[in-house]
Amino acid sequence: MVLVSAETKLDRVLDLREGKCRQRLRLSAKTIKGCNWRKDNGSGQEALTQAFCWALEQAGAEALLVPSCAARTGSILVVFNQNLCPASNFKVTKEVVWPGK
């Protein structure tokens, strides 16, 4: 698990926490939260959520906001650095250091 605080200014972000966005992509919240990507990848299949992530990156998205499976009210921001627009910015301001690391 990685936890950081960041300052961002992004233009092309898909927010998969929003029902209308998921509906347009035909991707349910249940599918996102229920995906066991470790199991899928371990069996030689690409997890559906990872396939969506790769497709969105290839389509030029700067970032993707998804609901966290670990924290019910949490969110995960996936940033595609190579797709950042010149006016965009992503800067980690604080990284949490976990005990035992």
Side-chain angles (χ1 to χ4, degrees):
M1 180 185 299
V2 178
L3 180 64
V4 299
S5 295
E7 294 176 2
T8 63
K9 179 183 180 230
L10 304 168
D11 292 319
R12 296 185 317 257
V13 179
L14 277 123
D15 188 349
L16 294 183
R17 300 170 308 168
E18 295 292 326
K20 287 185 180 185
C21 181
R22 289 192 314 273
Q23 194 173 39
R24 288 190 64 124
L25 294 169
R26 297 184 180 178
L27 183 65
S28 72
K30 183 178 178 180
T31 298
I32 293 171
K33 289 188 173 194
C35 182
N36 185 339
W37 63 268
R38 285 186 178 100
K39 181 181 173 187
D40 292 344
N41 290 352
S43 68
Q45 296 179 14
E46 183 172 38
L48 177 65
T49 52
Q50 288 185 327
F52 259 96
C53 198
W54 292 122
L56 294 170
E57 184 243 352
Q58 290 296 312
E62 289 185 296
L64 179 62
L65 256 172
V66 294
S68 171
C69 292
R72 202 172 74 119
T73 59
S75 299
I76 298 169
L77 178 66
V78 179
V79 177
F80 306 116
N81 290 330
Q82 67 279 12
N83 290 346
L84 293 180
C85 296
S88 295
N89 138 12
F90 176 79
K91 179 183 174 188
V92 174
T93 56
K94 181 179 179 185
E95 183 173 350
V96 173
V97 179
W98 297 98
K101 284 204 167 204

